[in-house]
Amino acid sequence: MWRKHPTYNHHIVSDRGGVGTVDFINARGSKLPGRKLSTYKTPSGQWQIKITGYGQGRGKTKSIAALVLETFIGPPPKGLVACHGKRGRNCHELSNVYYGTHKRNVGQDRL
């Protein structure tokens, strides 16, 4: 299932971890077609995407897990971050991501 992201309204996010854009007209008046966006893996192993076009200069880098949670669950509660479950950090499906503490996300007791 695809939904519009609550903050980045030209972007859509799938409950299976996909990220794309919808058709929109940019600031120059050009119509840009929607498309699925490419993600990249950081040296530390986190999957991310660069969100552009929101007055943030060169763009804002977001983790795929965070985008999925923000879209389907809502903003993170204070002090919590996007975490991955037992299927590991290569699986961004809604059923494998949750909000948890940073300590739990990187500690020995991580899922």
Side-chain angles (χ1 to χ4, degrees):
M1 168 185 352
W2 290 86
R3 287 188 184 168
K4 279 190 176 182
H5 188 276
T7 303
Y8 309 110
N9 56 9
H10 297 307
H11 290 77
I12 53 175
V13 181
S14 162
D15 61 345
R16 301 197 68 192
V19 181
T21 60
V22 296
D23 293 349
F24 69 99
I25 298 174
N26 68 10
R28 296 180 184 153
S30 301
K31 183 176 181 182
L32 301 176
R35 63 187 176 95
K36 187 167 183 199
L37 298 177
S38 298
T39 59
Y40 65 94
K41 195 172 187 177
T42 66
S44 65
Q46 184 179 43
W47 286 94
Q48 296 183 335
I49 195 163
K50 187 165 276 200
I51 303 286
T52 59
Y54 293 90
Q56 297 156 341
R58 295 184 173 180
K60 182 173 182 93
T61 301
K62 296 286 288 187
S63 80
I64 304 304
L67 289 171
V68 170
L69 288 168
E70 290 166 4
T71 302
F72 290 93
I73 303 298
K78 186 174 180 148
L80 300 185
V81 297
C83 303
H84 288 85
K86 293 186 183 217
R87 288 183 281 163
R89 58 179 155 179
N90 290 327
C91 177
H92 313 295
E93 293 181 15
L94 182 57
S95 61
N96 190 53
V97 293
Y98 65 96
Y99 286 124
T101 64
H102 177 73
K103 182 178 179 181
R104 179 173 181 159
N105 197 32
V106 299
Q108 290 182 354
D109 62 343
R110 75 176 171 207
L111 294 176

